[in-house]
């Protein structure tokens, strides 16, 4: 992309923030120009306000926070002002932020304002071909009270007596869903994964659970542990809600619906958030650090070239006890590898290997030289073989081997790589260009790293380095 | 005059909409154009074009925020003119420096294969900017939306020019990292 294109793109950013920047800019300029007058005005205002009593009952209510209801054809409808932004109608109801003349259909007459009993503005059919909320749930109203926002507003079917705490059953009904059969499919989506849910049993379980849920107020919502669920009704309407796997909450247009605890597990195959969360839960605190514990055996023993049977002879010095796990001993023949620690744990009279992966984000970052030296790699010749597998097959290399010349160059580059920094995630890594590499040292130690062939970035433990 | 009244004049096809817009937002739009264009004649022409574009687009548009709407038209017209002039080697204004700074965030290569979804990219940029502190967000918009000189931003925030430059530098690096982490290698 060219710099001019980026400048153009920035020009299309959010109106509101731009206006705020512009507004205060104007006011700052004025303030700078006439600072004395402004100070004088402020002092005068403070003096005056000490003597003048407020007139009226209190501060005026903000117009756009009130709910304006219209009774039409025996049903209640809410006037919704077209607006963009996270709380705006375009987001909440998936409707356009501007109503144009083309959207206005036939005149249907007038209704009655619910709070005053007066005649409402003229009501029209809503005609866009891409409409997402079906007739007769939505109309347009031409209302003089709201003229400041444009000639037309939306008129949306109003269910419930408290807009912040609508029951899910009312809300689902608004989208044409009364039973699970009305749902065509669901899609679980987050930044990493998009999966279709078509299993009718699961959809039925979800809809039933949601219908039975009573909305609550909560501050427990954890955005980091949430993923989106898109629901596609049989009538073609799409709408979104989010699910927080940590707190088992569904968030739907800022209303929270508690769900049964097993929901996270039921949706685990469609989204990794629960697995991530569950994985993080299995952590242990030790020496002021949090570790995820992996019990080694079988495959891992081969991988790390560990003796199959763990005996007391392999135990080094006692290093401490982790509550719930047992006594930890150093593994004599092995060495500490950056943020992954290998120990032997003693439970009753049996021993097994444990790998402790640090979950702390304050690990002192090491240069690649320091890190490789842990494995006994100080020169390119200390790496005798490099084998690799594709994509996420991290640790499963071995089918393919780098040619001698390629290997030597890679080893040389690796030792000269510059540190980018700690990264606890795989954001920015592309599956297509990512390789899981195994470096086999002259001491037969297997060192794992990830390599992006395009950007020539390697990831060793949780630190990323740029190859020259 | 309130914004809704000005927009109302446009909708009624009342030509009074133009002097009303000019009176209320003329100085604002002129400053945006001045930051981008070097010659006052070009600035004046852009302003006249801004009112003409507004006249042609309202209706059917009903801008939710008239200042940003008009400001955006001015910005686009000025920048298009800058690009045209720049090809003819006529100098720009503050914009030349602004673009050089933005160059740090991009590869400089054209997206010939059309791999970048601009709508998604815009959302990501918006997401990043929204996560900045109010002060930094304001500095970002002042510099990269309004193309405001560093000294003006410093005076507006009552901080040193060095501090503004350092903040903008961090924001640019942060933006690049944010986009890269989400798979955008622009």
């Amino acid at each position: 992309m060219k710099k001019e294109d980026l400048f153009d793109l920035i020009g299309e950013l959010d109106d509101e923030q731009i206006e705020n920047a512009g507004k205060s800019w104007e006011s700052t300029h004025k303030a700078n120009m006439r600072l004395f007058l402004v100070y004088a005005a402020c002092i005068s205002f403070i003096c005056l306000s000490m003597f003048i009593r407020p007139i009226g009952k209190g501060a005026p209510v903000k117009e756009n926070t009130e709910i304006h209801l219209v009774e039409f054809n025996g049903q209640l409808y809410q006037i919704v002002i077209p607006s963009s932004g996270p709380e705006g109608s375009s987001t909440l109801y998936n409707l356009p932020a501007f109503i144009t003349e083309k959207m206005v259909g036939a005149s249907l007459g007038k209704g009655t304002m619910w709070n005053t009993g007066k005649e409402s503005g003229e009501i029209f059919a809503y005609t866009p071909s891409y409409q997402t909320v079906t007739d007769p749930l939505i109309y347009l109203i031409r209302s003089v009270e709201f003229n400041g926002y444009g000639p037309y507003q939306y008129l949306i079917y109003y269910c419930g007596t408290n807009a912040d705490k609508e029951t899910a059953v009312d809300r689902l009904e608004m989208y044409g869903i009364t039973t699970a059969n009305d749902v065509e499919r669901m899609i679980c989506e987050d930044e990493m994964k998009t999966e279709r849910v078509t299993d009718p049993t699961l959809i039925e379980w979800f809809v039933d659970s949601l219908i039975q849920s009573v909305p609550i107020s909560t501050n427990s919502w954890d955005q980091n542990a949430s993923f989106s669920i898109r629901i596609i009704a049989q009538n073609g309407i799409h709408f979104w809600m989010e699910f927080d796997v940590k707190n088992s909450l569904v968030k739907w247009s800022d209303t929270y619906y508690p769900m049964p605890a097993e929901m996270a597990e039921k949706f685990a195959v469609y989204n990794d958030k629960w697995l991530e969360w569950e994985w993080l839960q299995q952590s242990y605190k030790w020496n002021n650090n949090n570790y995820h514990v992996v019990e080694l055996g079988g495959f891992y023993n081969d991988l790390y070239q560990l003796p199959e049977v763990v005996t007391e002879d392999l135990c080094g010095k006692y290093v401490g006890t982790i509550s719930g796990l047992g006594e930890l001993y150093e593994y004599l023949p092995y060495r500490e590898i950056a943020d992954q620690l290998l120990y032997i744990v003693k439970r009753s009279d049996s021993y097994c290997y444990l790998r402790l992966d640090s979950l702390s984000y304050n690990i002192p970052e090491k240069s690649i030289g320091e890190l490789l030296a842990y494995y006994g790699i100080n020169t390119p010749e200390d790496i005798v073989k490099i084998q690799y597998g594709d994509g996420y097959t991290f640790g499963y290399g071995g089918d393919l081997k780098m040619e001698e010349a390629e290997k030597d160059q890679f080893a040389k580059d690796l030792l000269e790589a510059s540190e980018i920094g700690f990264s606890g995630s795989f954001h920015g890594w592309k599956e297509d260009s990512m390789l899981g590499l195994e470096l086999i040292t002259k001491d037969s130690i297997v060192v794992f790293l990830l390599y992006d062939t395009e950007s020539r970035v390697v990831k060793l433990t949780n630190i990323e380095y740029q190859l020259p | 005059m309130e914004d809704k009244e000005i927009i109302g004049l446009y909708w009624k096809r009342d030509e009074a909409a133009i002097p009303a817009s000019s009176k209320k937002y003329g100085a604002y739009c002129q400053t945006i154009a001045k930051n981008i264009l070097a010659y006052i004649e070009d600035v004046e022409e852009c302003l006249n074009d801004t009112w003409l574009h507004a006249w042609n687009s309202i209706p059917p548009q009903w801008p939710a925020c008239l200042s940003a709407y008009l400001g955006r038209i001015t910005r686009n017209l000025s920048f298009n003119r800058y690009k045209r002039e720049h090809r003819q080697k006529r100098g720009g204004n503050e914009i030349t420096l602004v673009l050089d700074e933005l160059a740090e965030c991009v590869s400089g290569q054209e997206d010939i294969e059309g791999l970048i979804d601009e709508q998604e990219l815009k959302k990501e940029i918006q997401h990043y900017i929204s996560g900045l502190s109010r002060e930094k967000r304001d500095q970002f918009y002042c510099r990269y939306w309004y193309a405001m000189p560093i000294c003006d931003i410093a005076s507006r925030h009552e901080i040193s020019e060095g501090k503004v430059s350092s903040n903008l530098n961090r924001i640019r690096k942060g933006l690049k990292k944010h986009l890269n982490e989400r798979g955008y290698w622009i």
Side-chain angles (χ1 to χ4, degrees), chain B residues 134-154:
Chain B
R134 201 174 151 192
E135 192 186 15
K136 285 192 176 154
R137 191 164 58 226
D138 185 84
Q139 289 172 18
F140 176 89
Y141 279 119
C142 284
R143 185 65 175 163
Y144 303 117
W145 205 95
Y146 289 103
M148 199 190 282
I150 299 271
C151 56
D152 286 0
I153 304 174

Side-chain angles (χ1 to χ4, degrees), chain A residues 1 3 7-11 13-15 17-19 21-22 24-26 98 148 150-151 427-428 430, chain B residues 4 28 62 65 67 72 75 79 83 99-100 106-109 126 141 144-146 148 156 180-181 185-186:
Chain A
M1 179 175 269
K3 55 191 179 182
F7 187 76
D8 275 335
L9 209 60
I10 290 169
L13 296 181
D14 182 54
D15 270 355
Q17 291 181 0
I18 289 155
E19 193 208 11
S24 42
W25 171 21
E26 284 174 328
F98 295 104
H427 282 307
K430 295 173 188 166
Chain B
K4 61 181 180 186
Y28 167 73
W62 187 287
C65 167
S67 63
R72 176 170 287 124
R75 186 183 187 272
F79 191 50
K83 284 190 274 190
L99 288 175
D100 285 346
V106 294
S107 64
Q109 305 295 315
Q126 184 76 66
Y141 279 119
Y144 303 117
W145 205 95
Y146 289 103
M148 199 190 282
R156 168 189 168 86
N180 289 350
E181 281 177 353
W185 302 83
I186 58 171

Side-chain angles (χ1 to χ4, degrees), chain B residues 13 24 27 34 53 68 73 82 101 162 177:
Chain B
R13 311 314 287 156
K24 188 166 183 186
K34 268 186 186 168
H53 273 68
I73 295 176
Y82 163 81
E101 288 168 22
K177 185 164 177 278

Side-chain angles (χ1 to χ4, degrees), chain A residues 57 132 155 263 320 375 379:
Chain A
K57 289 179 181 176
T132 52
L155 198 59
M263 173 159 168
Y375 303 92
T379 65

Side-chain angles (χ1 to χ4, degrees), chain A residues 250-271:
Chain A
V250 159
K251 182 180 171 188
W252 188 7
S253 300
D254 282 341
T255 303
Y256 298 94
Y257 300 91
M259 295 295 278
E262 63 265 32
M263 173 159 168
E265 199 173 349
K266 280 179 182 286
F267 280 77
V269 288
Y270 301 104
N271 191 278

Side-chain angles (χ1 to χ4, degrees), chain B residues 11 34 44 50 59 61 75-76 84 135 164 171:
Chain B
W11 272 75
K34 268 186 186 168
E44 290 303 332
T50 299
Q61 297 282 352
R75 186 183 187 272
N76 290 345
R84 207 165 56 234
E135 192 186 15
V164 175
I171 294 170

